Amino acid sequence: EARREKEEARQASLERRRQIEEDQERQRAAAKASEEETQAAAKTIEDMKAGLAAEAEVYRKVEQEAKKRVEDRAEESARMKAKADAAAAATAAEAEKAKQEEEEALRQHTEAKEYAEQAHAERQRRRESSKLKSRRHREVARTAEEMRR
């Protein structure tokens, strides 16, 4: 009887270990997916920043050319400056948008981490509940066995 109970306890322990390993693997997969999403978002943001920097450089060159023609073409220079200012405003707006997207990506990453932590806590709670239930069942079985004797 003791050997049987010991074997049952060993089997239950092995099952709990297997469940823990599965939970850890799922957590690792979720964390990896979250990290990949974050990296993809960061790369997108970096690509956008590079594009914005290139655009800003183009607009800076346009503005410099306009300043060179100031003596000859005051009227054309004013139009080019207005265009450059509008482009700078657009670039600033795009930079702000990129910053907001970066913050959103960070927020989503944080939410994903919090969700993973909550899921882990819930699994822990369920495991503890299952352990208590198993203990109660064993105690009831022992009591019944003792009463039969």
Side-chain angles (χ1 to χ4, degrees), residues 7-33:
E7 180 60 24
E8 286 175 359
R10 191 180 73 74
Q11 289 295 328
S13 175
L14 289 173
E15 178 61 23
R16 281 192 301 275
R17 269 194 226 135
R18 186 189 62 73
Q19 288 176 347
I20 290 169
E21 289 172 2
E22 286 175 2
D23 287 345
Q24 288 173 342
E25 187 58 37
R26 280 193 291 275
Q27 288 173 350
R28 277 191 223 95
K32 183 178 180 185

Side-chain angles (χ1 to χ4, degrees), residues 72-118:
D72 302 336
R73 302 178 191 164
E75 189 177 305
E76 185 178 340
S77 176
R79 281 194 300 264
M80 291 300 285
K81 187 175 184 324
K83 183 178 177 181
D85 288 346
T91 301
E94 288 178 14
E96 179 61 28
K97 183 179 176 186
K99 179 182 171 190
Q100 289 172 352
E101 288 175 357
E102 184 177 14
E103 289 170 353
E104 176 63 17
L106 180 61
R107 184 191 64 76
Q108 287 177 354
H109 174 70
T110 303
E111 284 180 3
K113 277 177 70 173
E114 288 172 359
Y115 178 76
E117 290 169 2
Q118 288 172 355

Side-chain angles (χ1 to χ4, degrees), residues 136-149:
R136 280 191 226 115
H137 283 296
R138 282 195 302 274
E139 288 173 11
V140 167
R142 272 192 229 118
T143 303
E145 182 65 29
E146 288 173 8
M147 290 180 125
R148 270 185 271 165
R149 288 184 201 153

